[in-house]
Structure formats: C-alpha cells, structure tokens
Amino acid sequence: LLFISIIMFAFLVLVPGGKNYRIKRTVALKHGVELRQLEAVEKKIEEKLQNIKSDNRHVMEAISNKFDKKIFITKYKTYFQSLKLSEKKAIDSQDGFKVYDVNTVSSIDSPKKFYDFLEAINKSDWIIKINFPIIFKKGTKVIESSFTMRVYYTK
C-alpha cells in the first residue's frame, strides 16, 4: 500500500511538476540570455552617451551661460579697434531657448582679424550665431563692419 501510494504520488505530482519545472527553466534561461544581450546594448549606449557628453561638455556648459555684454566686449575687443554692441530685441523663446538679437558695429584693420574673431566665437562661453549679411565698409584707415548675432541660452 505504501509502495503504491509512493508510485502514485510520483506519477501524479512529481512527473507533471518536473515537466513544468523544465518548461519554466527553459523560459528562465531564454530571459537570462535576453537580459544579458540588453545589458550589453545598454552598456554600449551608456559608453556612447559618456563620449558625447565629454566631447560636447563645452557646448553643454555654454548653453546655460547667460550672455553678458560687458564680458563679451572685454573678451573680444582685442580683435577690433572698436566694438559696440546694442541689443536689438529680446525674443522670448525659441524651442526652449532664450534668444537675444544683438546688433554689432566694429572697426578692424584687416579682414583676417574678423575671421580670427569668428574662430574665437566658436570656442566662446556662449552659443552665438552670426547672421548674414555681414556688411564691410571701407574707411580711411580701418574697415567698418556691422553684423547681427543671436545669442542662445536656456531659461
């Protein structure tokens, strides 16, 4: 009687439980493989993100800097004989950015100085877009230039 009950228990409980166990184990192994694959993809994406952050750290810092007219003039007056900025208008927002239109009048002794200024602007502490046209007028000893630029920063 004991032997028959043990055999019935084995066939009625343990064998079907073993089948369920094998099915669940197979599913768990598949999920484990998928998890490792997704972790590898996540690691690659995280590495790309860190590389992008390190490559563009200057831009991310520049976008949060508020534009200061006095600091701009003192920093870039070496490229010009005279530099005057006037805020044309403040545009409220454009795609989540605060935007200022700035009108600039300057005097330079050679066009190379102006191109050096443009190179320096690319490495500045602000996000600045120089708008065209850039107007150059020949004076007696200097070249008068005027252009507008937009300064972007986050609110």
Side-chain angles (χ1 to χ4, degrees), residues 1-13:
L1 186 63
L2 181 63
F3 181 71
I4 292 173
S5 62
I6 290 174
I7 290 177
M8 286 181 57
F9 176 75
F11 281 111
L12 294 176
V13 177

Side-chain angles (χ1 to χ4, degrees), residues 21-36:
Y21 170 76
R22 282 191 302 262
I23 292 170
K24 289 180 180 180
R25 182 174 167 246
T26 305
V27 170
L29 290 174
K30 286 180 185 178
H31 286 306
V33 169
E34 289 175 4
L35 176 64
R36 284 189 292 280

Side-chain angles (χ1 to χ4, degrees), residues 87 89-94 97-101 150 155:
E87 190 175 308
K89 61 181 173 178
I91 302 171
D92 286 336
S93 69
Q94 183 178 23
F97 297 106
K98 187 84 170 171
V99 181
Y100 280 102
D101 266 344
R150 282 195 168 181
K155 294 180 180 179

Side-chain angles (χ1 to χ4, degrees), residues 38-147:
L38 291 175
E39 286 174 343
V41 169
E42 179 189 23
K43 186 177 178 182
K44 286 180 185 177
I45 291 172
E46 184 66 30
E47 288 174 2
K48 284 182 184 179
L49 176 65
Q50 293 306 321
N51 288 338
I52 290 171
K53 279 183 177 180
S54 66
D55 291 345
N56 298 306
R57 182 179 317 268
H58 178 73
V59 174
M60 292 182 344
E61 291 171 0
I63 199 72
S64 61
N65 291 338
K66 190 169 181 174
F67 183 70
D68 189 350
K69 187 171 143 179
K70 292 177 184 177
I71 293 174
F72 181 86
I73 289 174
T74 56
K75 192 170 189 176
Y76 297 107
K77 71 181 177 185
T78 58
Y79 295 98
F80 303 99
Q81 289 182 345
S82 70
L83 176 63
K84 296 179 184 117
L85 293 179
S86 62
E87 190 175 308
K88 200 160 89 176
K89 61 181 173 178
I91 302 171
D92 286 336
S93 69
Q94 183 178 23
D95 297 329
F97 297 106
K98 187 84 170 171
V99 181
Y100 280 102
D101 266 344
V102 180
N103 190 20
T104 310
V105 178
S106 59
S107 298
I108 54 176
D109 54 1
S110 83
K112 184 176 181 339
K113 288 269 193 180
F114 186 77
Y115 292 116
D116 291 342
F117 164 73
L118 291 178
E119 285 293 320
I121 285 291
N122 285 334
K123 299 171 186 161
S124 74
D125 294 335
W126 305 284
I127 303 296
I128 297 174
K129 174 185 171 192
I130 304 293
N131 294 327
F132 290 98
I134 300 170
I135 301 168
F136 292 103
K137 291 181 184 174
K138 183 181 181 219
T140 54
K141 294 183 180 181
V142 295
I143 301 169
E144 298 287 327
S145 64
S146 68
F147 58 94

